Amino acid sequence: MEKPSHRQSTVLVPVFVPAVVVIVLLVLGTVSNPQLAGEVFSSSLSYVTRSFGWFYMLSVALFLLFIVGVALSPWGRIKLGPDHAEPQYSFPAWFAMLFSAGYGIALLFFGVAEPVLHYSSPPQGAALTVDSARQAMQIAFFHWGFHIWAIYGLVGLVLAYFAFRHGLPLSIRSALYPLIGDRIYGPIGHAVDVFAILGTMFGIATTLGLSVAQINAGLHYLWPEIPIGSTVQVIAIVIISCLAILSVVAGMDKGVKRLSILNMTLAIALMIFVFLAGPSIHILESFLQNTGSYLNHIVERTFNLQAYSRSDWIGNWTLFIFGWTIAWAPFVGLFIAKISRGRTIRQFVLGVLFVPSMFTFLWFSIFGDTALHLIMNEGYEALIHQVQADHTIALFQLYEHLPFSSIVSLITVFLIITFFVTSSDSGSLVIDSLASGGSIHTPVWQRVFWASAEGIVASTLLLAGGLSALQTMSIISALPFALIMIASAVGLWRALIIESHRHDSLRVGVQSRFTGVAGPELWRQRLKTLISFPRREDVETFINTTVRDAMSWVEGELRRENWRTSVTDDPAMPRICLEVQRQGDVNFIYEIRLVEHELPGYAYPEMRREESDDLHYCRAEVFLRRGGQSYDIYGFNKHEIATDILDHFEKYLHFVHVSPGHLPWEMDEHDDMLAPPEQD
């Protein structure tokens, strides 16, 4: 069978065509009359923030409460994949990729600018005071803390759960399966993915627009002969989009992963430099104080819409950032889902929610508080006017008062470029997956097409109205996707209820697998099983004889009762599987696999191990529909194996009887033992 990655096309036409048509119409309309497009963007932004601001704030609050509640519940133990799955990437590599894809660019853009702007123009109280400085840092923490990553985390969680736990497409539509079933493959599912593509496209365009504006400012700072303007920025988009295309062609592991690790290395190095060159003790003190203040006021700020003091501040800041994040969420969520297979729900949520947030708080403390310290204690008030005039130069103006400013500025420009590339290439991979119905392996030309489209959309919006046009499209495209996220949360909740019934069915009061055939010699058999370490050929023989005979017994009896049953084997694994098929219900599977393990330390209690000894032994482990059960049946006789099968079959029937719904539970594709992930 030809691998998916070698196909000429994997596009899902009902998704691909509408998304492309909308994007093309937007580009053509904007290019034909940029002034009119800018006016439409401005009026649309005003209407959405005025009419739906409350909805954005309430939605984000619910997202945060929901994923924290799920993580802290017993559902937190559920793995994003089969029960025996292990994480695909190490924690450092995982964190580097999700951080780079998430909002590395945003931190570089707003790390200095936002605290300075809030200090000089606070939403409440007097400006240029100690209170306004405290408020500025609290607002920055609120905008880029738990709420942002709750949005990313919710989308990533529902995608990873339904894809890796139930074999559904790695696509937004899959989250609706518990609500509409197989209709996710019809028009409703297509519409959901189209909205996801459009939201992602405009979210990426916003990020790319911020990036090139800051790159332009950095280049002008280093080489004043380079002007600041849309022409330079469009040229930058073209050049860096070409670099993103090269990364896209390289693939996940060779391109995105390596660039992400490079990004994190440079970002951490930059943080350490500013920390050491700046007011280090003040930074540490402010970090602790601001974190405490953020946690103390998180509820109040979550629901603060300035209802009694109408202004544009909430729309220009909080709603923009939340809307941008929601529009960005299909991309970041799907991306972190792809790299999170094998983690538990609790590990996923806590990792996604707390680790990046703490890093962000430290980032703003180092850069933002250094800037405020220079203004308040060293008289660098000119920084306020410089940032107010141009947000993009904030970081470079800060470097003016630090040693090696030119070198650090050059490194920062390079870092922005690499963040740009990782955002564009990983965004292209995600959009391509959405447009292909969740396909993980897609041909190169499709990824190149979407990487090019991102650059074109970003350039068009910049020409139409600069950053304000990008801001508008982010907030508007976020509105329909916020509704989809709410439906996804409901779908996940229903799926977890079904999962709970599945878990409860495994604890029904049936005989233990060790007492299926009781007798006076049972303890001897159990002891022998515990302290024996069989060779591969012994376990293979056991599976092909004793296990096969026991399964054949059960298969024969079920067939006589008119149950559709089959026994299949896979000599290459090796493994053997008994499957009971039920119309309209998930099939029952009882599988025995040969699994190799390293010898434990107690394998040689009385003698020293010889160098020639084999360091491994094999087990005949039980696997069910949801994955490995982590116990060995080697040494069981046919009667005991048959009893173990019936124990699990009884639990399966109990689950089918009490379950309020059904899920596919198709995990073979994401089972490393059966289908190891291909390396690009």
Side-chain angles (χ1 to χ4, degrees):
M1 180 178 174
E2 189 180 20
K3 295 181 180 179
S5 56
H6 295 161
R7 297 176 188 167
Q8 294 185 346
S9 175
T10 59
V11 297
L12 187 60
V13 174
V15 175
F16 181 87
V17 172
V20 171
V21 168
V22 172
I23 293 170
V24 169
L25 291 176
L26 174 72
V27 170
L28 293 177
T30 303
V31 170
S32 63
N33 196 334
Q35 183 176 356
L36 178 61
E39 294 173 357
V40 172
F41 291 153
S42 179
S43 59
S44 300
L45 178 63
S46 176
Y47 172 76
V48 171
T49 55
R50 183 177 64 254
S51 302
F52 297 99
W54 65 271
F55 174 73
Y56 282 113
M57 298 294 283
L58 180 60
S59 298
V60 173
L62 293 175
F63 299 157
L64 178 59
L65 290 172
F66 178 78
I67 67 165
V68 171
V70 169
L72 298 179
S73 73
W75 294 329
R77 297 190 296 267
I78 296 171
K79 282 197 174 183
L80 302 175
D83 286 347
H84 58 275
E86 295 296 330
Q88 184 178 1
Y89 296 100
S90 67
F91 184 82
W94 180 61
F95 174 60
M97 286 192 284
L98 68 89
F99 176 83
S100 296
Y103 62 169
I105 290 174
L107 293 187
L108 289 168
F109 190 91
F110 290 105
V112 174
E114 184 167 355
V116 171
L117 291 170
H118 295 330
Y119 171 70
S120 60
S121 301
Q124 296 175 336
L128 308 177
T129 64
V130 173
D131 286 338
S132 67
R134 290 197 201 98
Q135 187 180 172
M137 295 306 300
Q138 290 175 26
I139 292 171
F141 278 31
F142 173 71
H143 284 164
W144 303 103
F146 295 154
H147 294 74
I148 295 296
W149 285 97
I151 298 170
Y152 294 153
L154 175 61
V155 177
L157 178 60
V158 296
L159 290 174
Y161 174 80
F162 285 108
F164 304 142
R165 188 82 176 162
H166 297 288
L168 291 168
L170 191 62
S171 181
I172 306 297
R173 69 176 70 202
S174 297
L176 304 182
Y177 187 91
L179 304 178
I180 62 175
D182 288 339
R183 284 182 290 172
I184 64 168
Y185 301 108
I188 297 176
H190 300 331
V192 167
D193 282 350
V194 169
F195 281 119
I197 289 174
L198 295 176
T200 302
M201 179 62 70
F202 296 128
I204 292 174
T206 301
T207 302
L208 300 189
L210 294 176
S211 301
V212 295
Q214 199 170 23
I215 290 171
N216 192 180
L219 293 174
H220 178 73
Y221 173 80
L222 293 168
W223 300 285
E225 60 270 18
I226 298 177
I228 294 178
S230 57
T231 302
V232 175
Q233 292 170 12
V234 171
I235 293 173
I237 288 177
V238 172
I239 294 173
I240 301 175
S241 292
C242 292
L243 296 176
I245 289 172
L246 294 177
S247 179
V248 160
V249 172
M252 179 72 77
D253 287 322
K254 293 182 181 179
V256 179
K257 179 182 175 181
R258 294 174 182 176
L259 275 177
S260 298
I261 294 173
L262 175 63
N263 288 344
M264 280 300 301
T265 304
L266 290 176
I268 292 172
L270 202 60
M271 285 177 63
I272 294 173
F273 169 77
V274 176
F275 174 76
L276 296 175
S280 305
I281 301 301
H282 173 71
I283 289 171
L284 293 175
E285 292 174 343
S286 63
F287 170 70
L288 292 175
Q289 180 173 323
N290 292 328
T291 302
S293 297
Y294 164 73
L295 296 173
N296 189 44
H297 295 90
I298 189 171
V299 176
E300 179 185 357
R301 293 197 179 278
T302 297
F303 297 99
N304 182 15
L305 282 164
Q306 297 184 321
Y308 297 100
S309 56
R310 291 290 182 183
S311 70
D312 294 332
W313 187 92
I314 195 81
N316 292 333
W317 283 104
T318 306
L319 294 183
F320 162 61
I321 292 171
F322 285 179
W324 178 22
T325 305
I326 292 172
W328 195 235
F331 151 50
V332 180
L334 202 153
F335 181 74
I336 63 177
K338 292 179 75 170
I339 62 176
S340 300
R341 179 168 55 85
R343 301 190 181 275
T344 66
I345 289 177
R346 186 170 295 121
Q347 290 172 344
F348 177 91
V349 172
L350 295 181
V352 169
L353 199 62
F354 289 98
V355 177
S357 295
M358 291 298 108
F359 184 92
T360 300
F361 298 162
L362 186 59
W363 181 281
F364 272 98
S365 296
I366 291 175
F367 287 87
D369 271 308
T370 298
L372 294 178
H373 180 83
L374 290 173
I375 295 171
M376 299 172 68
N377 297 288
E378 299 185 19
Y380 187 23
E381 295 182 358
L383 180 61
I384 296 175
H385 306 294
Q386 292 164 347
V387 174
Q388 288 176 335
D390 187 358
H391 303 355
T392 61
I393 65 172
L395 189 56
F396 301 102
Q397 291 298 331
L398 174 67
Y399 293 154
E400 284 281 349
H401 285 254
L402 299 176
F404 312 110
S405 59
S406 296
I407 297 174
V408 177
S409 296
L410 184 62
I411 293 173
T412 300
V413 171
F414 179 75
L415 180 59
I416 297 169
I417 292 173
T418 58
F419 271 132
F420 187 140
V421 173
T422 52
S423 296
S424 181
D425 60 11
S426 51
S428 303
L429 292 173
V430 167
I431 293 178
D432 188 27
S433 180
L434 289 170
S436 302
S439 178
I440 297 176
H441 305 287
T442 59
V444 171
W445 75 263
Q446 291 176 203
R447 291 176 265 165
V448 171
F449 170 82
W450 289 113
S452 305
E454 291 162 8
I456 293 171
V457 171
S459 302
T460 303
L461 292 176
L462 273 176
L463 294 173
L467 294 181
S468 62
L470 295 167
Q471 175 181 349
T472 300
M473 292 307 301
S474 291
I475 294 178
I476 293 175
S477 61
L479 185 59
F481 193 73
L483 295 171
I484 293 172
M485 287 183 65
I486 293 173
S488 300
V490 175
L492 177 62
W493 172 75
R494 180 166 173 79
L496 291 174
I497 290 177
I498 297 173
E499 184 105 34
S500 295
H501 285 281
R502 174 85 173 179
H503 178 73
D504 292 341
S505 71
L506 297 176
R507 300 184 299 173
V508 295
V510 297
Q511 290 179 299
S512 167
R513 61 180 177 266
F514 296 116
T515 59
V517 180
E521 296 298 313
L522 179 62
W523 71 272
R524 296 184 189 274
Q525 178 186 321
R526 288 187 61 188
L527 177 61
K528 185 178 180 180
T529 301
L530 290 173
I531 62 175
S532 65
F533 304 96
R535 299 170 300 173
R536 183 180 185 90
E537 53 266 31
D538 295 330
V539 179
E540 286 184 354
T541 301
F542 172 76
I543 292 175
N544 290 325
T545 55
T546 306
V547 175
R548 183 182 296 277
D549 290 344
M551 287 186 175
S552 297
W553 285 356
V554 177
E555 178 194 24
E557 289 298 321
L558 287 171
R559 283 184 177 274
R560 276 189 281 274
E561 298 296 331
N562 296 319
W563 286 71
R564 294 174 59 196
T565 312
S566 62
V567 176
T568 57
D569 61 1
D570 180 8
M573 182 64 196
R575 59 175 178 151
I576 188 169
C577 177
L578 171 71
E579 183 173 4
V580 182
Q581 301 168 353
R582 282 181 53 83
Q583 189 70 31
D585 288 317
V586 64
N587 296 344
F588 169 75
I589 287 179
Y590 181 92
E591 181 178 317
I592 302 300
R593 296 185 190 178
L594 184 148
V595 182
E596 189 174 71
H597 296 272
E598 291 186 1
L599 280 170
Y602 59 82
Y604 298 88
E606 300 293 339
M607 63 185 110
R608 179 176 294 183
R609 180 180 60 81
E610 301 293 336
E611 292 295 328
S612 59
D613 289 341
D614 192 354
L615 300 180
H616 297 85
Y617 76 105
C618 294
R619 289 159 44 113
E621 295 190 5
V622 176
F623 285 71
L624 303 176
R625 170 71 71 175
R626 68 174 197 170
Q629 301 304 292
S630 301
Y631 73 92
D632 180 21
I633 67 164
Y634 180 78
F636 282 30
N637 61 39
K638 287 180 277 189
H639 295 278
E640 291 167 337
I641 296 172
T643 299
D644 193 51
I645 294 173
L646 295 183
D647 285 350
H648 288 294
F649 188 56
E650 182 175 353
K651 297 171 184 179
Y652 159 79
L653 294 177
H654 177 77
F655 165 69
V656 170
H657 177 65
V658 302
S659 176
H662 70 276
L663 294 165
W665 303 94
E666 297 288 349
M667 290 179 275
D668 282 2
E669 181 184 356
H670 307 292
D671 190 337
D672 287 346
M673 293 182 179
L674 305 177
E678 293 198 17
Q679 302 297 314
D680 294 297

